[in-house]
Amino acid sequence: MSSLSIKKRVGINVTIVIFVVISIISILAYTEFKEALERNLDYRLRSDAMSAYILLNSAHDDKLIKEHISLLLSPKTDYHLRGYAVWFDQEKTALINSDTFKEIKTILDEHDTPAPETGKFNFTNITYKGKPCRVIWVSLKNKAANFPDKKSVNILVAISSRHAWGEITSFMNVLLLVGAISIWASVGLIMWILRWALRPIDDMAKKMNIISLPNVSSHELNIDETVLELQPFATAWDSMLNRLDKAIQQEKRFTADASHELRTPLAVMKSTLQVAKLKDRDADYYRQAIDESLTSMQRMETLIDQLLELARCQEQSLQPSKDEVNIAEILSDIAEQHKNNATQKQQNIEVDSCDTMIRCNKSQLSRAISNILANAIKYGPSNSKISVIATINDNNLLIKVHDCGGKIAAEEIEFLFERFYRGDKVRTSSSGGVGLGLSLAKEIVNSHRGEIIVESNAKAGTVFTISLPIN
Amino acid sequence: MRALVVEDEVTLANNIAQALREGAGFAVDISNDGLEGLHFATTNPYDLVVLDLMLPGMNGMDILKNIRDKGIKTAVLIMTARDTSEDIINGLNVGADDYLTKPFDVGEFIARCKALVRRSYSEPSPEITISGIRINTLKKQVFVSDKPVTLTALEYKTLEYFFMRCNEIVTKTDLLEHLYDQDWDRDSNVIEVHISSLRKKLDPNKTLNPIKTMRGYGYIIER
């Protein structure tokens, strides 16, 4: 059913319903019509029989009785067959009978039609010479003055019901024709109505069809112009387009940024080497050019590593974290890793951690904390203390990295986690950062359903707080 | 010729400056910050500004707008690490004369810078001839009546600057500003010394007198 169109589904269902309704009406009409015709036949048969009975009772002359009854029951033009007989009691020979009587009586006997009780009518359908006939057989108390010794009188009248059946057949034909026409017409009407009703969907599909990738959001459906039933769909579609647009813009910006960040060290390297080649230089100059090129290369390498890490992290954020690890262990490991860098700047890393087990992706979380700590070492002043503290607060694990660096401007904090963002002050310095560390940290913490908060002031320095839900 | 390089990547800025000094014989100032760059560009007469677009302090596009709003017609070459045509179109529309995408070829960069400066002095051809003296700005060669003359680098730069501004009075300050880096000692009489030796080399018989002294104003070369 799933591949059937709405038009077909509704069309088929409605057609079936109409067909069933017309069939039921036809059957009812047919039954009613047939019964009406039979009642009509029965009425005539009964009145014929009763007339014959009255004649039998009223006359005194045998001959006259026979003549009158024969005349009454003789075939008329509209009935092709008319058999009749009148006999007393269980007599084998009839007082009056038509030529067909004997045969009809035989057929009745063959059908085991029981003789009616006195005063009762008995109607039967029989087939005589291949033609349908209706027969009345009535047994009445004998009141004829001419035959005083007889107890009862039997009257049998048979008429062809072919004519009635013909009427029924032609009525059925009309019924079938009307039914067929009405089904055909209603299917057509339904299809037309459906096409009209479904036109908004077609229109919408046309609008959706012309969407091209670069500027997705310019193809929003106008909700006000959309029919009521399709409005939730249009809203969902528009919001999907918006999300898609955002993602595309983000991706575009990221690609542009990434290429920018890769091109700059490449430009440094190329220009260094080409300027060195402009004329003959001494060995010291070449050595310096090589060193500068290597530094640029190192920067590109770091950048590529971090880009890959970021891509991998986004991929993994879809998977649940599995490791159950002790936060104190993670922190002391990270502090150990950064010890050398800190010592170079005469900085001292102090770790103070609670003993809490946390479910997380260990390597990713380590990377996030490590990036923040590396940042603190890089931008914190020489000869200072950096503290890493883990505490528990309301089902949240708080990891604070505190350095005594200068104040980060409020407007800079906003952009701190943006990819490739480096504060103005550090851009030109040879810090070696590529501007992805914090953005990566944020990505990881977010994938653990946590958040990072930055507080900075001139006196106390800067605190990065990672807040992670324990459960 | 004097150029300003505004580029935040210190190494790259130094490389560009060195390329301009050695490859085009320009005097070069460097700024690593957008605001400082704008200040330099609006307070000194440069023949060329090489401008990066992504800068701390103020981005290149705003600097360019500011420069043009102040009516400064210096040739500007923008450098961008983004190769989207959007940046380039914007830059050119705002008033840049040329652009280069990073990473660029230093040779091409030098050639473009020279071409920009020539064009800004309405000298599209690299060979200029004035009253029998012909200079080739690409090969940095000088011919007097088709005979080659050997000049020092600074003498050549001085002559080229006179040629670029022929039929105009060139003051001593102009020469100082356009031929020397910012940190040069401006009080010395080095200009007079150069002009005098240039005259001797170009016109040993004192028949042509190509560089005329306009007393109280400066010097002039007339076509």
Side-chain angles (χ1 to χ4, degrees):
Chain A
M1 274 301 271
S2 62
S3 62
L4 277 182
S5 68
I6 293 181
K7 271 181 210 168
K8 279 186 186 155
R9 285 177 201 213
V10 177
I12 288 171
N13 283 324
V14 172
T15 310
I16 288 171
V17 168
I18 291 176
F19 181 76
V20 168
V21 167
I22 289 183
S23 302
I24 290 171
I25 291 173
S26 303
I27 290 167
L28 286 176
Y30 166 76
T31 320
E32 197 58 34
F33 189 68
K34 192 179 145 213
E35 276 177 11
L37 278 176
E38 275 180 358
R39 272 199 300 275
N40 187 25
L41 277 181
D42 293 353
Y43 174 75
R44 296 176 81 134
L45 286 171
R46 196 166 20 202
S47 68
D48 280 354
M50 288 317 289
S51 306
Y53 180 61
I54 290 162
L55 276 177
L56 189 68
N57 292 344
S58 58
H60 297 281
D61 184 352
D62 276 9
K63 207 183 157 196
L64 210 63
I65 288 172
K66 283 180 188 176
E67 215 170 275
H68 280 181
I69 291 178
S70 294
L71 202 65
L72 176 78
L73 300 178
S74 283
K76 285 159 195 151
T77 47
D78 54 337
Y79 298 104
H80 301 292
L81 178 93
R82 200 176 181 103
Y84 56 89
V86 179
W87 71 95
F88 294 109
D89 296 337
Q90 267 85 43
E91 286 176 356
K92 293 282 181 227
T93 45
L95 174 69
I96 313 153
N97 72 319
S98 64
D99 299 338
T100 49
F101 162 67
K102 268 187 185 140
E103 291 169 50
I104 290 171
K105 183 76 167 57
T106 318
I107 292 165
L108 279 177
D109 289 341
E110 270 171 19
H111 277 82
D112 281 337
T113 310
E117 289 169 40
T118 312
K120 291 272 169 68
F121 300 94
N122 189 347
F123 294 98
T124 324
N125 288 321
I126 59 160
T127 311
Y128 173 70
K129 287 183 180 169
K131 291 167 189 162
C133 294
R134 188 132 175 107
V135 180
I136 185 170
W137 185 358
V138 60
S139 179
L140 294 163
K141 213 173 179 182
N142 181 29
K143 288 177 183 170
N146 282 14
F147 310 97
D149 53 331
K150 311 292 180 193
K151 273 183 185 165
S152 64
V153 59
N154 286 295
I155 303 172
L156 188 141
V157 183
I159 45 173
S160 161
S161 59
R162 206 176 69 158
H163 182 77
W165 279 108
E167 302 251 310
I168 290 174
T169 312
S170 60
F171 171 74
M172 277 308 293
N173 285 343
V174 171
L175 212 60
L176 282 176
L177 188 69
V178 169
I181 289 172
S182 56
I183 287 176
W184 179 79
S186 55
V187 167
L189 189 71
I190 287 160
M191 287 325 238
W192 184 82
I193 290 173
L194 279 177
R195 204 165 304 140
W196 174 77
L198 294 178
R199 195 175 305 147
I201 294 181
D202 287 344
D203 292 348
M204 197 181 254
K206 268 180 209 152
K207 276 189 205 166
M208 288 172 173
N209 243 337
I210 52 169
I211 290 171
S212 53
L213 257 193
N215 37 358
V216 164
S217 63
S218 63
H219 298 288
E220 278 186 15
L221 300 169
N222 193 340
I223 291 171
D224 296 336
E225 284 174 14
T226 315
V227 291
L228 192 70
E229 287 81 356
L230 288 179
Q231 275 177 9
F233 183 66
T235 315
W237 172 261
D238 283 358
S239 84
M240 185 198 77
L241 277 192
N242 271 328
R243 271 174 283 141
L244 207 60
D245 188 47
K246 235 182 187 172
I248 289 172
Q249 296 307 331
Q250 228 169 40
E251 209 56 37
K252 251 169 124 178
R253 222 199 66 204
F254 177 71
T255 319
D257 286 347
S259 86
H260 176 266
E261 295 298 313
L262 276 171
R263 277 159 188 274
T264 305
L266 206 59
V268 173
M269 209 160 109
K270 195 170 174 180
S271 62
T272 305
L273 296 174
Q274 285 185 330
V275 169
K277 253 186 83 183
L278 271 182
K279 60 183 192 187
D280 288 340
R281 321 265 186 191
D282 55 20
D284 268 354
Y285 189 97
Y286 288 129
R287 211 165 287 131
Q288 202 190 332
I290 290 169
D291 282 347
E292 267 166 15
S293 303
L294 285 176
T295 311
S296 294
M297 229 161 74
Q298 183 60 48
R299 195 171 136 192
M300 284 191 271
E301 220 175 293
T302 316
L303 180 71
I304 290 167
D305 280 350
Q306 295 215 7
L307 281 174
L308 287 177
E309 184 79 25
L310 198 63
R312 217 170 292 140
C313 165
Q314 279 171 332
E315 218 170 83
Q316 283 176 0
S317 74
L318 301 170
Q319 298 162 1
S321 23
K322 294 185 190 90
D323 314 333
E324 181 92 14
V325 287
N326 192 333
I327 190 67
E329 270 174 39
I330 292 186
L331 292 184
S332 65
D333 281 355
I334 293 168
E336 196 57 40
Q337 283 165 23
H338 289 276
K339 209 174 171 184
N340 274 345
N341 287 339
T343 318
Q344 275 176 16
K345 286 187 80 178
Q346 282 107 48
Q347 290 163 330
N348 188 20
I349 305 175
E350 279 181 15
V351 179
D352 176 16
S353 173
C354 56
D355 239 7
T356 309
M357 298 302 280
I358 182 161
R359 186 172 285 279
C360 66
N361 185 322
K362 188 184 172 189
S363 66
Q364 281 193 4
L365 189 65
S366 301
R367 160 73 76 159
I369 301 168
S370 179
N371 282 355
I372 292 173
L373 185 59
N375 223 49
I377 294 170
K378 209 178 283 167
Y379 302 124
S382 296
N383 216 340
S384 64
K385 187 184 87 178
I386 295 168
S387 47
V388 182
I389 305 159
T391 51
I392 289 187
N393 184 12
D394 286 347
N395 268 337
N396 280 325
L397 175 68
L398 303 180
I399 305 161
K400 287 178 196 265
V401 178
H402 182 187
D403 70 65
C404 305
K407 182 178 160 54
I408 303 175
E411 64 267 22
E412 272 193 29
I413 285 180
E414 199 184 325
F415 299 107
L416 224 45
F417 297 102
E418 274 204 13
R419 289 168 189 178
F420 300 119
Y421 179 83
R422 273 169 292 159
D424 275 359
K425 279 173 228 146
V426 301
R427 267 191 78 92
T428 49
S429 76
S430 51
S431 60
V434 294
L436 278 176
L438 287 182
S439 126
L440 187 58
K442 190 185 164 97
E443 199 82 49
I444 292 169
V445 171
N446 283 353
S447 79
H448 282 81
R449 287 175 292 119
E451 55 177 348
I452 303 184
I453 303 158
V454 186
E455 293 153 293
S456 182
N457 66 61
K459 256 189 193 167
T462 305
V463 184
F464 280 80
T465 308
I466 301 176
S467 164
L468 289 172
I470 293 175
N471 298 321
Chain B
M1 303 296 138
R2 188 167 167 196
L4 171 68
V5 174
V6 190
E7 161 67 62
D8 61 331
E9 195 60 51
V10 180
T11 321
L12 187 59
N14 291 337
N15 286 343
I16 291 169
Q18 197 174 353
L20 283 176
R21 283 190 195 113
E22 290 178 358
F26 287 5
V28 185
D29 296 337
I30 298 174
S31 169
N32 298 126
D33 176 88
L35 287 170
E36 189 195 50
L38 176 66
H39 176 72
F40 276 16
T42 47
T43 48
N44 296 308
Y46 290 105
D47 300 296
L48 173 72
V49 176
V50 178
L51 194 59
D52 184 26
L53 289 186
M54 281 249 285
L55 287 167
M58 183 186 243
N59 74 50
M61 212 64 87
D62 291 338
I63 296 176
L64 184 56
K65 258 183 232 163
N66 259 295
I67 293 177
R68 293 302 185 222
D69 285 350
K70 291 203 167 94
I72 298 168
K73 295 197 176 77
T74 312
V76 174
L77 181 140
I78 51 174
M79 285 190 308
T80 165
R82 299 187 178 187
D83 58 354
T84 54
S85 46
E86 242 171 85
D87 279 358
I88 294 161
I89 292 169
N90 272 344
L92 292 177
N93 281 344
V94 168
D97 299 276
D98 204 352
Y99 74 91
L100 267 179
T101 36
K102 293 179 194 171
F104 50 82
D105 187 90
V106 169
E108 183 190 342
F109 168 72
I110 295 170
R112 277 176 190 267
C113 289
K114 282 190 196 167
L116 278 177
V117 172
R118 274 204 314 273
R119 235 178 292 148
S120 69
Y121 288 108
S122 315
E123 280 296 349
S125 159
E127 275 211 351
I128 313 162
T129 312
I130 294 169
S131 45
I133 303 168
R134 175 160 57 94
I135 66 166
N136 185 320
T137 56
L138 292 184
K139 294 178 183 161
K140 304 201 185 308
Q141 287 168 335
V142 180
F143 301 88
V144 179
S145 315
D146 289 331
K147 278 175 211 146
V149 177
T150 317
L151 299 181
T152 68
L154 214 55
E155 282 164 0
Y156 172 79
K157 280 193 213 174
T158 315
L159 182 64
E160 192 188 83
Y161 187 66
F162 274 126
F163 267 51
M164 291 292 180
R165 295 189 56 185
C166 72
N167 296 336
E168 273 179 58
I169 293 173
V170 177
T171 64
K172 241 178 93 178
T173 322
D174 284 343
L175 285 172
L176 276 169
E177 281 178 346
H178 286 270
L179 301 182
Y180 299 94
D181 289 359
Q182 214 175 25
D183 42 4
W184 196 272
D185 175 14
R186 284 164 187 243
D187 290 332
S188 67
N189 61 349
V190 66
I191 293 293
E192 280 92 341
V193 176
H194 276 300
I195 301 279
S196 147
S197 80
L198 198 56
R199 277 178 172 149
K200 273 179 206 156
K201 283 186 182 174
L202 295 175
D203 186 22
N205 306 326
K206 300 199 176 190
T207 49
L208 289 166
N209 191 18
I211 305 169
K212 295 186 181 82
T213 306
M214 309 291 283
R215 215 157 284 283
Y217 296 106
Y219 309 93
I220 190 167
I221 283 191
E222 280 171 314
R223 212 185 264 267

